[in-house]
Amino acid sequence: MRNTISALIGVGACFLTSVAFAQNLDWQIFSEPFITTAHAQNIDWQKIDEILGRKAAVSDDVHRYGFARSDLAVTLDGVAIKPAFALGGWVAFKPAHGGVMAMGDLVLLETEINPVMAKMIAGGLEITAVHNHLLRASPATFYMHVAGHGDPAKIAATIRDALAESKTPLTSASPASPPPAIDLDTAQLDSLIGIKGQANGAIYQFTVKRLDPITEGGMLLTPVGAMGVATAINFQPTGGGKAAITGDFVLTDGEVNPVILALRTHGIEVTALHSHMLNEEPRLFFMHFWANDDAFKLAKGLRAALDKTASAKI
């Protein structure tokens, strides 16, 4: 009898503990996928397309809009920079509670920074960074990171009105003639970098995911490529097996100097180191780079730098 009473007391204690645990659970963890899906279905994406004057590239629940500075003729060390190589501004919309989370990276001339910033602020968007990516480019380009939460149509209208203060093309360009073949052994580059790249016009691009989850304001930033939190590596052929490279590594604090050392050891210039966001977890740093040399040599240097990071390798 005593054993029976003890067992009943134990069951009751477990039940009460389970109730208390359930009350303390953050049920948002379980409901988030369903809430996000519902919000994605409720958003009039065609309206957002119309406001921004272009169709989005859709990855999972993220709609990403490109704002390439095809109007600019930028050169660096004698290389004519193609828009997809280093002039590709963008804004991504991800469904969130009460609307969307928006974040982006806009390419601006020096004289455009303050007029665009004023419109962003007036429309309720946050400026999270302004900086260079390249050195010695002519004309010099700067990159403004923006963020916002709320009504997607209002955010889109603010972005459109802000970009109207620059010479950023606000309508999609007519389809151009097919891009030239990429004058590089892309299969060998894939092997050296350790993941499969993808052609974007005349540019060969790699998107390298980190192994650790990244959140902003408590929200998981996925897919990481579309949300701008994956290491980006771009190759632009410059002839004779050579390529210009640029992009940015996504790093935690302990990875910064090992990656700098790996890049510099392999003849790759570090051109910028800075933040892009304000309250992400873990705290991230973005390191931009540049070189124009034998493509395979540079790929080996980039792989050596990636090996200093918690990055995926296939």
Side-chain angles (χ1 to χ4, degrees):
M1 181 67 177
R2 181 178 299 171
N3 290 339
T4 302
I5 293 172
S6 298
L8 289 172
I9 291 172
V11 171
C14 290
F15 173 76
L16 292 173
T17 301
S18 298
V19 170
F21 176 71
Q23 288 174 339
N24 291 326
L25 270 176
D26 181 1
W27 289 101
Q28 179 179 337
I29 294 172
F30 300 99
S31 63
E32 184 68 44
F34 304 103
I35 292 171
T36 300
T37 300
H39 285 165
Q41 292 173 343
N42 291 334
I43 294 171
D44 185 349
W45 291 113
Q46 183 175 345
K47 181 178 180 181
I48 308 306
D49 293 350
E50 291 171 355
I51 293 172
L52 293 175
R54 64 207 63 223
K55 289 285 187 181
V58 181
S59 301
D60 295 340
D61 64 340
V62 173
H63 287 236
R64 176 166 163 143
Y65 296 86
F67 294 95
R69 290 304 300 262
S70 55
D71 60 306
L72 298 177
V74 178
T75 60
L76 171 53
D77 294 348
V79 177
I81 302 299
K82 295 185 181 299
F85 183 59
L87 304 173
W90 58 273
V91 177
F93 290 73
K94 183 178 180 68
H97 298 291
V100 297
M101 163 194 281
M103 55 196 308
D105 181 10
L106 306 175
V107 184
L108 302 171
L109 296 176
E110 183 177 357
T111 55
E112 297 170 341
I113 293 173
N114 281 306
V116 170
M117 183 183 292
K119 288 286 188 178
M120 291 287 185
I121 294 170
L125 296 188
E126 293 182 333
I127 309 301
T128 60
V130 179
H131 46 233
N132 68 293
H133 287 181
L134 305 171
L135 300 175
R136 303 181 302 280
S138 179
T141 52
F142 297 85
Y143 300 78
M144 179 183 294
H145 293 264
V146 299
H149 299 80
D151 177 64
K154 180 181 177 183
I155 292 173
T158 295
I159 292 166
R160 178 201 61 206
D161 293 346
L163 286 177
E165 298 294 317
S166 72
K167 294 191 182 303
T168 303
L170 294 181
T171 56
S172 296
S174 301
S177 56
I182 295 175
D183 185 21
L184 295 170
D185 184 343
T186 56
Q188 181 66 9
L189 291 179
D190 291 348
S191 177
L192 291 170
I193 296 294
I195 65 170
K196 175 68 176 172
Q198 184 173 359
N200 181 5
I203 308 302
Y204 200 62
Q205 301 179 324
F206 294 91
T207 299
V208 187
K209 301 176 182 179
R210 290 191 59 83
L211 297 176
D212 44 352
I214 300 167
T215 63
E216 167 81 3
M219 188 167 185
L220 190 64
L221 297 183
T222 56
V224 291
M227 297 301 289
V229 287
T231 292
I233 297 172
N234 297 335
F235 282 75
Q236 178 176 316
T238 54
K242 295 176 63 177
I245 59 168
T246 194
D248 56 350
F249 281 79
V250 183
L251 307 170
T252 55
D253 57 352
E255 297 169 343
V256 169
N257 280 286
V259 169
I260 287 177
L261 181 59
L263 292 175
R264 296 299 299 131
T265 299
H266 289 83
I268 300 171
E269 184 179 9
V270 175
T271 60
L273 173 64
H274 45 233
S275 61
H276 285 181
M277 296 169 284
L278 298 177
N279 63 344
E280 77 280 6
E281 291 288 344
R283 186 65 171 144
L284 298 175
F285 300 88
F286 294 77
M287 185 182 297
H288 297 264
F289 56 89
W290 164 266
N292 181 20
D293 204 339
D294 178 79
F296 297 159
K297 171 187 172 183
L298 296 178
K300 292 174 183 176
L302 291 166
R303 183 65 251 174
L306 286 169
D307 286 342
K308 303 298 183 182
T309 72
S311 298
K313 184 177 181 180
I314 301 173

